Amino acid sequence: IHFVTIYANQAVEMMDVKMYHKTTNIVYELANPFNVVAQNIVGSVNVPYVINAYPDNDAPISILNVPNQQTIEGLAFQPIDLNAYLVQPDPFDVAWSYTPNPNLIVTLVDGILNVEGEPGYVGTTSLVVTATELETAMNVSNGNTGSRAAQPQSAQTTISFNIAPLYDGPAWNPIPNQGIVVSSQFDTFDLDDYEYQYAGPYLEYGYYPIVEESMNPVLQPSWSMDSLYKNTMNIIAKVVFTPNYVFKHANDVLIAEVNGQIRGLARRDPISNLYFITIGGSNTNDIITFQFYSGLKKEILTLQESLTYRVYDVLGSPDVPLTFDFAPLRPSIDINGVTTIEIIDTAWIGLQDFAFTAADRLYPTYLYAERIASFCVVEQLSDLVTLYQDADGDGLGNPAVSIVSCLGAEGYVTNNGDCDDTNPVDPTLVVLITEISGQSSNDGYICPGSPVTIAASGGQTYLWSNGATTATITVNPITTTIYTVSMTNAQGCQGSKSSPIYVEGTVITQSGNDGFGSLKQVFNCITEGGTITFDQPTINTSVLNEQLIITKNVTIKGLNATSKPSIYLDYINSNSGLRISQNKALQLDNTDIRIINNSSSLPTVSGKGQIIIKNKTVIK
């Protein structure tokens, strides 16, 4: 039995234990490290602590328990360094292997285990991993390499892998920009109002500032110490732009000033990213101010906080440096997502962007989203613009939801003309016309005095331009009239829609074969014994490419014998002549007939009625 007193500089410390055996002249390794605890007694005379030694230092190996591994569908597990779990007192090299699992995709190289689930697999499964010592090793007593005297040692462990079903990660709606006049405060806002998709157990919000080159960049100043001082004060500082951004540009410079004199100057230490600044002075209680040139922003920043000079004082340390925050604005997000934009520099004028982040606590890099919002401070109210939310994307803003900003914002517009921002059709007003007059039904083109039914839907109350308050009206216009309905719907939105009813007259206003104002349409609506004229001198012709059947006693009249309109009968597609019904007469008064493309010599006028020529008519 050996009685050993172990000394340590720590209350708890892990030690390797070796034993020299005189007979074999070999140093043996303890199979497991020994955990030393201050003032602890291990073993006794009756029950001693046993140290096992093995021939040729060929001790058994073991693998510590690897923690259960957790991931989500579609995301690989974190790599596992199996060497960190191997317990091996002797120096033999180890080969790693595993038993394949059909639910897992596995790669194992030099003890680094990479695992991911087979596509579509969800659940808990396991993987058996084996460590086997190789055949040769360095002899620890004489430094020579030799072969093993015994069978290779090996050990196994089983690692559990759980793949949870994928749930929706975070996603953002636009976070409104904000703008204020100097000396005002930004509105607080809840990030939960803008993140809309996350379906997991716990979402964490954060932010980082957008740090980029200034709109008005300045060259690096040629700062230098004004003089040397025999008394000094030392500061170790970290320079940040909000706590979430550390300046790291090669051209960054920090200076300390007293009454406008540069008393200290430091550049960033590239290893620690800290500033070791020595400040000279002679008067205790001098006020020290700090300026910083950012090589990235190309801007000189002023720290809003100051320090009091103390001779030989040392502030900060490499482990706990002072933090100099040069950001003019600083977001603060509480555990419920309520965000406050704190104004650090009350005299600052400008614009700062922040990216707000949302990340799943378990898988923050996989289920992650961010959204940028802008915050600006201006000198006067006229520099700001009021914007209104356009949630339904119809280009109209909700008068009840507005922001004030110094630039545009996604999802917001400058007008406030939307009273129902949940529906892109605002308001939903449908007007249906029913009539059977004219050449085609329900097209809004009628003959004079014909009945027309106009029905509106989508509202609760209606008011028509003719004074009616019902949803449906029936009218008999004798001239073209526009009927307008004003509506209020269930959401309180008001809207209106106009429906013109075109009434055909007795004047030909277009030369086509068909349509409103054509000879065919005017003739369809003319009354028995009526007279049709042309809109001369603008319209002097009418072209018919299909037969016109005369079923009424009608006169077609030109201005005079020298200013006569022409009716062209175009036979290129069909018989385009005039067919006059029995006991009916077509009177042409200073109106010519022109026949074109009549290669088959089809009749110009047919039927049992009459054609009457008055004044002068040329048929050619």
Side-chain angles (χ1 to χ4, degrees):
I1 297 177
H2 298 262
F3 298 88
V4 181
T5 300
I6 301 175
Y7 297 89
N9 291 321
Q10 302 178 33
V12 178
E13 188 171 7
M14 190 71 68
M15 292 189 176
D16 295 327
V17 179
K18 299 182 181 182
M19 181 192 73
Y20 172 67
H21 187 236
K22 172 65 176 177
T23 303
T24 58
N25 194 32
I26 294 176
V27 175
Y28 293 91
E29 305 275 350
L30 181 64
N32 292 310
F34 185 76
N35 194 29
V36 175
V37 179
Q39 309 304 320
N40 194 28
I41 298 176
V42 178
S44 67
V45 174
N46 294 325
V47 186
Y49 179 78
V50 178
I51 296 174
N52 294 308
Y54 299 93
D56 299 321
N57 276 327
D58 190 16
I61 64 174
S62 61
I63 303 173
L64 300 175
N65 288 333
V66 179
N68 294 340
Q69 303 296 299
Q70 174 76 31
T71 192
I72 198 166
E73 187 178 5
L75 177 65
F77 293 93
Q78 291 293 319
I80 303 172
D81 185 358
L82 295 174
N83 300 298
Y85 298 91
L86 177 66
V87 179
Q88 183 192 26
D90 54 42
F92 293 99
D93 291 334
V94 168
W96 290 93
S97 61
Y98 65 90
T99 302
N101 182 321
N103 298 319
L104 301 176
I105 301 172
V106 182
T107 59
L108 179 55
V109 179
D110 296 331
I112 307 300
L113 182 67
N114 289 279
V115 179
E116 60 181 295
E118 285 285 353
Y121 175 74
V122 172
T124 300
T125 188
S126 60
L127 188 71
V128 177
V129 176
T130 303
T132 304
E133 289 184 333
L134 300 178
E135 293 296 325
T136 60
M138 182 73 69
N139 187 294
V140 295
S141 60
N142 57 26
N144 296 323
T145 300
S147 299
R148 299 178 58 92
Q151 288 294 105
Q153 302 283 359
S154 66
Q156 284 187 340
T157 190
T158 300
I159 308 172
S160 176
F161 293 90
N162 179 56
I163 302 176
L166 179 65
Y167 47 82
D168 288 336
W172 290 106
N173 282 320
I175 300 174
N177 301 330
Q178 289 192 46
I180 61 172
V181 177
V182 66
S183 301
S184 301
Q185 298 295 321
F186 291 102
D187 293 334
T188 60
F189 54 96
D190 191 344
L191 293 176
D192 284 336
D193 294 339
Y194 305 102
E195 194 289 315
Y196 66 90
Q197 180 175 276
Y198 181 69
Y202 188 81
L203 186 65
E204 292 182 334
Y205 291 122
Y207 77 90
Y208 64 87
I210 306 299
V211 182
E212 54 193 6
E213 184 173 319
S214 170
M215 296 291 291
N216 300 301
V218 299
L219 297 176
Q220 183 179 13
S222 55
W223 284 329
S224 62
M225 293 283 289
D226 292 322
S227 60
L228 299 177
Y229 299 84
K230 68 176 183 179
N231 297 326
T232 60
M233 173 182 178
N234 291 285
I235 295 176
I236 301 174
K238 177 174 69 173
V239 178
V240 301
F241 195 82
T242 78
N244 293 342
Y245 181 88
V246 178
F247 286 104
K248 295 182 180 179
H249 196 277
N251 294 335
D252 292 346
V253 182
L254 175 68
I255 63 169
E257 293 181 307
V258 175
N259 296 324
Q261 295 180 328
I262 298 179
R263 300 286 187 89
L265 183 149
R267 297 182 182 275
R268 179 181 61 90
D269 176 67
I271 297 176
S272 64
N273 286 320
L274 299 178
Y275 291 79
F276 299 85
I277 185 167
T278 298
I279 304 171
S282 56
N283 297 323
T284 299
N285 297 327
D286 277 345
I287 301 301
I288 309 170
T289 59
F290 296 89
Q291 286 190 307
F292 178 74
Y293 177 76
S294 167
L296 174 60
K297 289 178 69 65
K298 291 184 171 56
E299 185 177 347
I300 297 174
L301 308 174
T302 300
L303 189 67
Q304 295 306 298
E305 301 173 352
S306 59
L307 296 176
T308 301
Y309 182 78
R310 295 284 186 268
V311 176
Y312 305 131
D313 202 359
V314 177
L315 300 180
S317 68
D319 294 327
V320 187
L322 291 187
T323 299
F324 289 167
D325 188 349
F326 285 89
L329 308 177
R330 182 188 303 149
S332 174
I333 306 173
D334 71 11
I335 60 174
N336 297 315
V338 176
T339 304
T340 302
I341 305 298
E342 182 183 1
I343 301 175
I344 308 302
D345 184 353
T346 56
W348 178 75
I349 301 294
L351 182 144
Q352 178 61 50
D353 292 341
F354 293 99
F356 292 94
T357 63
D360 179 77
R361 182 174 60 177
L362 295 177
Y363 313 105
T365 59
Y366 186 57
L367 301 177
Y368 172 89
E370 63 180 51
R371 172 69 73 166
I372 294 177
S374 299
F375 300 85
C376 66
V377 180
V378 297
E379 292 182 306
Q380 52 192 4
L381 189 62
S382 60
D383 295 327
L384 298 174
V385 60
T386 300
L387 302 172
Y388 300 89
Q389 187 180 39
D390 179 18
D392 55 16
D394 61 0
L396 301 175
N398 184 350
V401 182
S402 64
I403 62 172
V404 177
S405 178
C406 53
L407 70 170
E410 183 181 356
Y412 287 77
V413 294
T414 56
N415 71 80
N416 61 351
D418 200 337
C419 64
D420 182 6
D421 208 26
T422 64
N423 193 330
V425 181
D426 181 32
T428 304
L429 177 59
V430 178
V431 174
L432 180 65
I433 298 173
T434 303
E435 47 84 10
I436 57 173
S437 179
Q439 188 171 0
S440 300
S441 300
N442 306 326
D443 62 352
Y445 292 87
I446 66 169
C447 296
S450 297
V452 179
T453 299
I454 309 176
S457 61
Q460 287 188 324
T461 62
Y462 302 90
L463 177 62
W464 294 86
S465 53
N466 65 353
T469 57
T470 56
T472 302
I473 61 172
T474 299
V475 292
N476 303 82
I478 59 174
T479 60
T480 296
T481 305
I482 297 176
Y483 294 91
T484 300
V485 60
S486 298
M487 177 207 75
T488 301
N489 67 6
Q491 291 76 32
C493 293
Q494 293 180 339
S496 63
K497 191 169 184 178
S498 296
S499 298
I501 303 299
Y502 298 96
V503 178
E504 191 65 82
T506 61
V507 180
I508 298 172
T509 58
Q510 60 112 339
S511 300
N513 177 76
D514 204 350
F516 188 75
S518 67
L519 172 60
K520 182 182 295 185
Q521 185 78 314
V522 170
F523 185 84
N524 187 57
C525 289
I526 196 75
T527 58
E528 176 72 22
T531 299
I532 297 174
T533 61
F534 282 74
D535 186 18
Q536 293 181 274
T538 304
I539 301 297
N540 290 297
T541 60
S542 178
V543 179
L544 297 176
N545 53 30
E546 56 186 351
Q547 191 175 64
L548 178 62
I549 301 176
I550 310 299
T551 59
K552 305 170 185 176
N553 293 306
V554 174
T555 298
I556 302 177
K557 184 178 181 181
L559 283 178
N560 49 57
T562 59
S563 181
K564 298 183 296 179
S566 297
I567 299 174
Y568 284 81
L569 306 179
D570 187 354
Y571 289 79
I572 191 170
N573 295 320
S574 63
N575 182 359
S576 296
L578 303 175
R579 182 176 180 84
I580 305 173
S581 299
Q582 187 174 358
N583 299 323
K584 299 299 178 183
L586 171 62
Q587 180 172 266
L588 299 177
D589 185 352
N590 288 323
T591 301
D592 293 344
I593 300 294
R594 305 288 182 178
I595 299 97
I596 56 176
N597 297 315
N598 190 9
S599 58
S600 300
S601 299
L602 295 173
T604 300
V605 179
S606 61
K608 296 184 178 181
Q610 301 178 24
I611 187 166
I612 301 172
I613 304 301
K614 184 177 179 181
N615 293 320
K616 185 177 181 180
T617 291
V618 175
I619 299 178
K620 184 177 181 180

